[in-house]
Amino acid sequence: MKFNRILLSTALVVFALVVQVSVLARLQLPGAVPDLVLLTVLGLALVYGPVSGCLIGFGAGLLADLAPPADHAVGRYALVLCLIGYLAGLARPDNGRLKSASGPMAAVVAAAIATTLLYAGVGALVGDTAARHVGLGSLLFTAVVYDLLLAPFTVPLIMALARRVENDPLAETSGGTDVASGWLSSGTGLRIGTQRGGLLVRAARTRASRAGRIKGVKRL
């Protein structure tokens, strides 16, 4: 992985973990806890691809395994997020662009369900049956709802930061929208990249016309 990817990913994962442990976990919401770490891994994997997503997921999961008040076997969540990061990276489009929010939102739902099932499955293998007492159905439903509510405020920002730090040339082109701006503009029908390009062209034409008029006045 590139150094800028490592630096940004580490900062985002640590921040997400601190917020999740110190704020979200203390809200005492019914069922699951909103998984900000999962959404961070998902957003980065959708930009960086499967290999980086796998590595970021493993590191994020390992930190979550070690962070208090973790009461499960070390490596359990690391394995889950490693798989989720790899699979999310495979969902990244070849050209790095998505023009609507349907793709990322579907990825959030799939990741929330897969994470809950994999975590419960790995727990059953190591003898942890806590999910049975809470109810797997309740965990699945609340995990999907909480992550869907949190995703629009986190994943687009994470993807935009990843593109900015990556200095991806796709983020500078005006033909269409990238994955982050496509999410943000899907509900309004706006095309951020196209609008920006159009404004630049209009500004250039305005300057050219003004220069032409000034030259014409000087000649007279």
Side-chain angles (χ1 to χ4, degrees):
M1 290 177 64
K2 298 180 180 179
F3 177 75
N4 54 355
R5 288 189 181 185
I6 297 174
L7 187 62
L8 177 65
S9 301
T10 302
L12 290 176
V13 166
V14 170
F15 177 77
L17 183 59
V18 170
V19 173
Q20 181 168 319
V21 172
S22 61
V23 178
L24 298 179
R26 297 186 179 183
L27 294 178
Q28 300 298 324
L29 296 173
V33 175
D35 200 338
L36 187 58
V37 175
L38 169 64
L39 296 178
T40 302
V41 172
L42 188 64
L44 292 172
L46 286 173
V47 176
Y48 292 149
V51 176
S52 295
C54 178
L55 295 175
I56 294 170
F58 178 80
L62 188 59
L63 287 178
D65 286 332
L66 296 174
D71 56 353
H72 55 268
V74 176
R76 180 177 171 185
Y77 202 46
L79 174 61
V80 172
L81 285 189
C82 179
L83 295 174
I84 295 298
Y86 181 80
L87 294 176
L90 293 177
R92 178 184 183 272
D94 293 334
N95 59 359
R97 298 179 183 277
L98 290 173
K99 295 184 178 181
S100 70
S102 58
M105 293 298 278
V108 171
V109 174
I113 295 174
T115 300
T116 305
L117 292 176
L118 287 172
Y119 187 80
V122 174
L125 291 177
V126 297
D128 185 357
T129 59
R132 298 180 183 177
H133 303 290
V134 179
L136 186 58
S138 175
L139 285 177
L140 285 172
F141 177 76
T142 53
V144 170
V145 171
Y146 296 155
D147 290 348
L148 278 178
L149 291 176
L150 192 60
F153 304 100
T154 55
V155 178
L157 178 60
I158 291 170
M159 297 173 74
L161 287 174
R163 282 232 178 266
R164 180 72 63 178
V165 173
E166 188 72 3
N167 293 322
D168 195 329
L170 286 174
E172 303 298 328
T173 58
S174 60
T177 56
D178 64 16
V179 284
S181 61
W183 185 315
L184 293 172
S185 63
S186 61
T188 60
L190 298 176
R191 294 200 171 193
I192 297 174
T194 304
Q195 278 195 335
R196 182 176 61 181
L199 290 175
L200 291 175
V201 172
R202 291 177 186 176
R205 290 178 178 175
T206 302
R207 289 194 296 268
S209 62
R210 288 179 180 175
R213 288 196 296 269
I214 292 174
K215 288 181 180 179
V217 172
K218 288 182 177 180
R219 290 177 182 177
L220 293 176

